[in-house]
Amino acid sequence: MLKEFKEFAFKGNMVDLAVGVIIGAAFGKVVTSIVNDLVMPLIGLILGKVRFNDLFISLNGESYINLDAAIQAKAPTLNYGQFISNFLDFLIISFVIFLVIRQLSKFRKKSESNEKESESKDPVTKECPHCLSEIPIKATRCKFCTSELETSNQKSASS
C-alpha cells in the first residue's frame, strides 16, 4: 500500500498539479492585493474619496458611520463594496488564466503541426527482407546480414 501511495503521490502529473495549486494561490494573493491596495483606492479617489470596503447597506434600517460600526452593532448588512472588490479579483484572475490557456493552445497547435510534418516526411530507413533489420533507405547491402539489397532503380528496371 505504501508503494502504491508513493507511485500516486510522486507521479509527474500529481507534482505538477501541486506546484500549480501553490503558484495559483500565491498569484491569487498578489491579485487581491493589487485590487484592494492599488485599484480600489484609485477608483475610490476618482469617485470622491470613497473606501469601497466600507460601502454597505444596513438591512435593519438604521444608519451606521462605517461597516465596522455596523458589524459591532451586529446589524445585518449587504456589503456591496467588498463584492465589487472580489468581483474585480475574479475578472483579473479569469483574464490572466484565459491568456495562459490561449498561449498554451497555440503552443500545442504548433507542436501538433510539427509532429504531423515529421510524420509526413519520406522514410529514412527500410527493413532488410532477409534479416528484418532496420537499415538506411539508400543502402545497397545490409550492414547486419551483408545481403545484397534491391535498389529502387533495380525494381523499376525489372518491372
Side-chain angles (χ1 to χ4, degrees), residues 83-120:
F83 173 77
I84 292 171
S85 293
N86 291 335
F87 188 70
L88 278 175
D89 277 355
F90 168 76
L91 287 178
I92 292 170
I93 290 173
S94 298
F95 181 70
V96 170
I97 289 172
F98 166 76
L99 292 177
V100 168
I101 290 174
R102 185 173 169 222
Q103 195 62 36
L104 286 174
S105 294
K106 286 182 181 180
F107 288 144
R108 282 189 185 137
K109 285 179 185 176
K110 283 182 181 178
S111 68
E112 286 174 2
S113 67
N114 289 343
E115 287 176 11
K116 287 179 183 176
E117 286 176 13
S118 65
E119 288 175 3
S120 66

Side-chain angles (χ1 to χ4, degrees), residues 6-8 12-14 38-39 41 46 59 62 64 74 77-78 105 108 121-122 127-128 135-136 146 148:
K6 281 182 184 179
E7 288 175 10
F8 169 76
N13 293 343
M14 187 61 134
L38 300 176
V39 175
I46 292 169
L59 298 176
E62 295 183 28
Y64 299 95
K74 296 186 179 178
T77 59
L78 188 65
S105 294
R108 282 189 185 137
K121 290 182 180 176
D122 293 333
E127 193 174 84
C128 173
I135 54 174
T146 67
E148 276 195 47

Side-chain angles (χ1 to χ4, degrees), residues 25-78:
F27 178 72
K29 287 181 180 180
V30 169
V31 170
T32 299
S33 177
I34 289 170
V35 169
N36 291 337
D37 301 331
L38 300 176
V39 175
M40 298 311 280
L42 288 174
I43 292 173
L45 182 66
I46 292 169
L47 295 178
K49 297 183 181 181
V50 175
R51 272 194 67 215
F52 270 84
N53 287 341
D54 278 344
L55 296 178
F56 70 98
I57 297 172
S58 175
L59 298 176
N60 65 1
E62 295 183 28
S63 179
Y64 299 95
I65 298 170
N66 59 24
L67 182 59
D68 292 334
I71 290 172
Q72 286 179 351
K74 296 186 179 178
T77 59
L78 188 65

